[in-house]
Amino acid sequence: MEPAKAKPPIVVILGSTGTGKTKLSLELATRYGGEIVSADSMQVYKGLDIVTAKATKAEQAIAKHHLLDVVTPDRAFTVTHFREQALPIIDSLLSAGRMPIVVGGTNYYIESLLWQVLIGDGVRREHIRRRSADDDDAAADEGPTKRPKSGDVGDDQRPKPPEEEEQQVSGALVDRCRAGTLSVDELESYEAPALHKLLATVDRPSANRLHPNNKRKIIRALEVYLDSGGTQTMDQVLTAQRAVPGASSLGGPLRYGNVVILWLRCEQDALNKRLDGRVDSMVAQGLLPEIRAFYEQHVKPYKNHDYHQGILQSIGFKEFVKYLERYDAEQDQLLLQHLTATTDSAEQPDGLAALGVCLDYLKLVTRRYARRQQQWIKNRFLGTLDRDVPPIYALDTTDVTCWNAQVTDRAVAIIDAVLGDRMPPQEPV
C-alpha cells in the first residue's frame, strides 16, 4: 500500500508591490500543481489589467487563478465579499489535495483568510453603487428619502438643517431602529453624521471607535444590531470573538493550522528603481489607451464619482484624471507616437508635460504604497505579541540575477520540508 500523500499547506506570498510575488506564485503552482488565489482588492474588478498589474493571459494559462475579474466596476466589493468567496475555494482545494497559493498586495484580504477577524457575512447587504448618468434620472424617482444627486445643488448652496431638526431626525431614526421598522437598505439614504449619532445610541463603543464620516463601517455596525433584532452590537460580537481561545487583541484565532508564509523583501533603493521602471513599462504596454477607455465608459458619463472607493481608487488611474479630463483620445495618439518615435522631435505635442507630471506622480505614490504595504506586514503580522502567527520566512528579492538561488530554491526547500513533516532549513523571522 502506498503511503498517504501529505496534505499540502496553504502557501501565502506576502510582499510589497514589485517584489516578484506573481513570478514566485507561478513557479510554485507549476511545481506543486497548486492553484493561485488572488488577494488583491483592485484585481477583483474587470478592466484596468495593466494599471492593476494583473497576471497576463499567458501567465494565467500557466496555472489556474481565482478571484480575478469577478466583479464589474459599478459594484462594491469589500473584504467581506472577498472572504466569503475565497474561503470555499481554499477549502475545496485542500479537500482535493491541491495546494492553495494565496498571493496579492492587499494584506487585510489575506488577514481575513488566516484569522477569524470579521463578523457575519454581510454580503447580501452590498449594493451597486448609486451613480447618476446625464441621461438616466431613474435613481431620482426611487423615493423621497434618497439623497440629492451630486452636482444638482452645490455643497455650499445646499440648505443646512438647524440643530433641532438634526436632533429630531436622529431621534426618529433611534425610535425606528429600536422598534425594528428601519430596514438596512434605508440606511444608505442617510448621511454619515446622522448614522453615527444613531450608532452612538445603540452601540456607543463602536461609535467611539469609528470616524463620523466613515459611512461604510458605520452602516456595517448598524447592520449587526438590526440583523440581530436589537439583541447584539458589533462591539459585543468583537469582544466575544477576542475572548475565544487562541484569539488576540486584533481578533479571533487562526483559521487554518498548516500555513506557510513567504515574505518577499527588497532593499528600498532597489525596489524604488524597479517600481519606476515598471511605470515606464506600463506606458509601453498600453497604459494610456486602457485608462482612456475606462474613463470614457465608467467615469465620463456620470455626474458623480468617488476616487476613494472601488476600482476608481486604483493607483495608476486616479493620478491621470486631470489629464483625461483635459485631453481626448486623439491627443493620446499624438503623445504615444511622440513617445515611441525612434528619432527625437524638436516640437513637443500639447499634453506631454501634463502626462509627464501624472507619470512622475504615479511613481511617487507607488513607492509610498510599497512602503505602506511593508509597514502593514510588520504591524499586523509581526508587531503583536499576543497573536498566533504562522511561520513567516523572509526571502530577499533585491538581486533578480540571483532569483533562483535566493528565492525559488529557498521557497521550495521550505515547502518540501513542511510536506515531509521536517524542520525547514531556514529559520522563520
Side-chain angles (χ1 to χ4, degrees), residues 93-204:
L93 289 172
L94 291 175
S95 297
R98 297 180 69 84
M99 182 182 292
I101 302 171
V102 181
V103 56
T106 307
N107 293 317
Y108 64 91
Y109 272 26
I110 295 174
E111 189 176 9
S112 76
L113 299 181
L114 298 184
W115 289 276
Q116 298 175 32
V117 291
L118 299 176
I119 59 175
D121 54 62
V123 171
R124 61 190 174 85
R125 299 299 184 186
E126 297 294 340
H127 303 282
I128 295 178
R129 291 195 195 92
R130 290 189 174 95
R131 302 177 64 204
S132 303
D134 292 341
D135 58 353
D136 185 3
D137 294 329
D141 299 326
E142 289 179 355
T145 61
K146 297 295 182 287
R147 286 175 288 164
K149 293 184 294 183
S150 175
D152 287 351
V153 181
D155 289 341
D156 57 340
Q157 299 173 355
R158 187 175 291 120
K160 303 290 191 298
E163 183 178 352
E164 55 270 22
E165 184 176 342
E166 287 186 0
Q167 292 174 350
Q168 289 173 2
V169 170
S170 180
L173 281 174
V174 173
D175 292 342
R176 293 190 60 202
C177 186
R178 288 179 171 161
T181 60
L182 179 66
S183 72
V184 174
D185 291 341
E186 284 183 81
L187 295 176
E188 285 284 354
S189 65
Y190 292 93
E191 299 292 344
L195 294 175
H196 190 262
K197 288 181 181 179
L198 172 61
L199 181 61
T201 64
V202 297
D203 185 2
R204 171 66 68 177

Side-chain angles (χ1 to χ4, degrees), residues 15-31:
S16 302
T17 182
T19 53
K21 297 187 297 296
T22 298
K23 178 178 173 62
L24 181 60
S25 70
L26 291 170
E27 292 173 342
L28 297 181
T30 301
R31 182 179 182 90

Side-chain angles (χ1 to χ4, degrees), residues 146-387:
K146 297 295 182 287
R147 286 175 288 164
K149 293 184 294 183
S150 175
D152 287 351
V153 181
D155 289 341
D156 57 340
Q157 299 173 355
R158 187 175 291 120
K160 303 290 191 298
E163 183 178 352
E164 55 270 22
E165 184 176 342
E166 287 186 0
Q167 292 174 350
Q168 289 173 2
V169 170
S170 180
L173 281 174
V174 173
D175 292 342
R176 293 190 60 202
C177 186
R178 288 179 171 161
T181 60
L182 179 66
S183 72
V184 174
D185 291 341
E186 284 183 81
L187 295 176
E188 285 284 354
S189 65
Y190 292 93
E191 299 292 344
L195 294 175
H196 190 262
K197 288 181 181 179
L198 172 61
L199 181 61
T201 64
V202 297
D203 185 2
R204 171 66 68 177
S206 293
N208 290 341
R209 180 173 50 85
L210 298 176
H211 191 282
N213 291 332
N214 194 333
K215 184 175 180 179
R216 180 177 61 82
K217 290 188 176 180
I218 293 171
I219 288 179
R220 184 69 192 104
L222 288 169
E223 283 180 345
V224 173
Y225 180 81
L226 291 170
D227 286 347
S228 71
T231 63
Q232 203 170 40
T233 66
M234 174 174 276
D235 180 69
Q236 291 170 339
V237 174
L238 291 176
T239 300
Q241 188 182 78
R242 292 176 182 129
V244 209
S248 71
S249 57
L250 294 179
L254 276 171
R255 198 183 302 275
Y256 299 100
N258 191 13
V259 178
V260 174
I261 300 179
L262 304 175
W263 180 16
L264 304 191
R265 307 184 68 180
C266 182
E267 293 178 7
Q268 195 62 52
D269 288 344
L271 183 59
N272 288 343
K273 291 178 182 178
R274 193 180 300 172
L275 293 174
D276 288 351
R278 189 163 83 169
V279 170
D280 293 334
S281 69
M282 288 165 66
V283 176
Q285 292 168 27
L287 172 68
L288 200 49
E290 178 179 275
I291 60 176
R292 172 64 64 187
F294 187 88
Y295 174 79
E296 294 292 333
Q297 183 177 357
H298 297 290
V299 177
K300 190 175 179 180
Y302 298 97
K303 291 181 178 179
N304 57 310
H305 28 264
D306 187 347
Y307 295 109
H308 300 286
Q309 290 187 357
I311 196 171
L312 295 187
Q313 65 184 311
S314 292
I315 292 176
F317 176 73
K318 62 181 182 295
E319 290 77 17
F320 291 87
V321 170
K322 289 185 178 179
Y323 168 85
L324 294 168
E325 289 175 343
R326 183 173 178 182
Y327 299 97
D328 57 19
E330 183 177 346
Q331 196 62 31
D332 294 347
Q333 291 300 317
L334 293 176
L335 289 175
L336 286 174
Q337 291 172 11
H338 177 81
L339 292 171
T340 56
T342 55
T343 57
D344 293 335
S345 173
E347 184 178 352
Q348 293 188 348
D350 188 28
L352 183 62
L355 180 61
V357 169
C358 295
L359 290 169
D360 288 342
Y361 185 53
L362 174 56
K363 293 176 181 178
L364 175 64
V365 297
T366 303
R367 293 194 297 265
R368 287 176 178 170
Y369 177 60
R371 288 194 292 270
R372 288 200 306 273
Q373 289 174 304
Q374 193 82 338
Q375 196 59 47
W376 177 283
I377 295 171
K378 292 178 180 178
N379 291 343
R380 303 286 295 192
F381 289 80
L382 299 172
T384 307
L385 297 177
D386 66 340
R387 190 176 219 185

Side-chain angles (χ1 to χ4, degrees), residues 387-404:
R387 190 176 219 185
D388 191 9
V389 180
I392 300 177
Y393 300 94
L395 302 173
D396 188 0
T397 70
T398 302
D399 187 353
V400 293
T401 63
C402 300
W403 178 271
N404 288 341

